[in-house]
Amino acid sequence: MTEEDAPESDESTVPAENYIEMVNQTSVERRIADLEAAFDEVPVTERTFHLSAEEYADVFAATQGTGFAENSVIFPVRSADEFPELSGNLPEQAAADTRDRALLVLGRGADLWALPGGGQGVEFESMQGTALRRLNEQTGVRSTIDSVAEVVHSKYYPETDAEGSVHTLDVYFRGEYAKGSIDVDESELTGAAWFAEPPERITEGAEKVFEEFLDESADE
């Protein structure tokens, strides 16, 4: 075949280096669609970051070289009437605290309280299924899921001529306590506790969900 006989190049063909971008964007859209099929409201926040080559390499490596990572956590609330009766040796003022509480965890090596869940999903497992399973594995507590508080879709681009990006999807679920007592998996956590108000040291995502919960409780 001569050069004149060769077919014209297709300008719309996506360069190979963009395939990861396409696959990961599709993964994000598919997961959001699954959530929208299961819940009435799925608020999504989009964030974009431009990183140095070194920072981008670290973020990409954290995805095990796939360019995509997902994380689902849960904010489980337990009403005061679901707690065991107080021991008789506690002060009287303790009995007057009838506020609902939310379960937070402190990971090993961490200094900020966070929402339970996270971790790798198993094949064919939904993001809500992962959050519920991981909650039970970490704390011994079982919960239901009522709603999606927020979905955060973050895109990380290198400040170079390289194509593609890293996509991460963080899903924050709201739920209600079902059963179980705290039994911490010490291989993952330093501790877990029920809080009526956010502790001083707490992750940004957990604090946001907690504050929204308190605002809603105050309006009731």
Side-chain angles (χ1 to χ4, degrees):
M1 179 184 293
T2 66
E3 183 175 347
E4 289 77 10
D5 295 330
E8 295 182 2
S9 63
D10 182 2
E11 298 294 338
S12 65
T13 299
V14 178
E17 58 266 29
N18 275 344
Y19 285 149
I20 291 179
E21 163 77 10
M22 292 177 56
V23 169
N24 291 334
Q25 179 65 41
T26 299
S27 296
V28 168
E29 293 171 354
R30 183 181 299 118
R31 283 158 175 75
I32 291 176
D34 289 343
L35 292 171
E36 290 175 336
F39 299 95
D40 292 336
E41 294 185 21
V42 181
V44 179
T45 299
E46 299 274 355
R47 306 190 304 180
T48 300
F49 302 91
H50 296 276
L51 308 178
S52 68
E54 293 78 10
E55 292 170 329
Y56 180 80
D58 289 341
V59 170
F60 188 82
T63 67
Q64 285 74 52
T66 65
F68 175 72
E70 62 183 16
N71 187 57
S72 56
V73 293
I74 182 170
F75 182 80
V77 175
R78 188 174 185 179
S79 62
D81 57 12
E82 293 176 317
F83 279 89
E85 292 187 7
L86 293 174
S87 171
N89 61 359
L90 288 177
E92 290 185 6
Q93 57 265 35
D97 189 349
T98 59
R99 293 174 293 176
D100 294 346
R101 286 169 167 76
L103 183 63
L104 299 178
V105 297
L106 189 63
R108 291 190 63 170
D111 61 356
L112 298 177
W113 289 90
L115 298 182
Q120 185 67 37
V122 299
E123 190 175 10
F124 305 123
E125 185 175 51
S126 66
M127 296 191 76
Q128 52 268 44
T130 300
L132 291 173
R133 174 177 58 81
R134 295 288 294 134
L135 164 70
N136 182 246
E137 291 173 348
Q138 291 173 331
T139 69
V141 170
R142 294 189 180 277
S143 172
T144 60
I145 287 181
D146 298 331
S147 62
V148 177
E150 185 178 23
V151 175
V152 180
H153 175 205
S154 301
K155 291 180 281 187
Y156 301 85
Y157 291 92
E159 290 183 332
T160 66
D161 293 334
E163 298 288 346
S165 67
V166 168
H167 292 248
T168 63
L169 198 65
D170 294 286
V171 180
Y172 298 86
F173 292 108
R174 292 271 296 269
E176 290 186 8
Y177 167 83
K179 63 180 181 179
S181 300
I182 292 178
D183 182 14
V184 170
D185 178 357
E186 295 182 353
S187 68
E188 290 197 50
L189 304 178
T190 299
W194 294 98
F195 290 87
E197 55 189 45
E200 182 177 345
R201 299 189 62 80
I202 184 173
T203 63
E204 181 180 351
E207 182 177 30
K208 181 177 181 181
V209 180
F210 213 133
E211 293 295 346
E212 290 175 351
F213 162 71
L214 292 177
D215 289 343
E216 292 170 7
S217 299
D219 292 338
E220 293 178 355

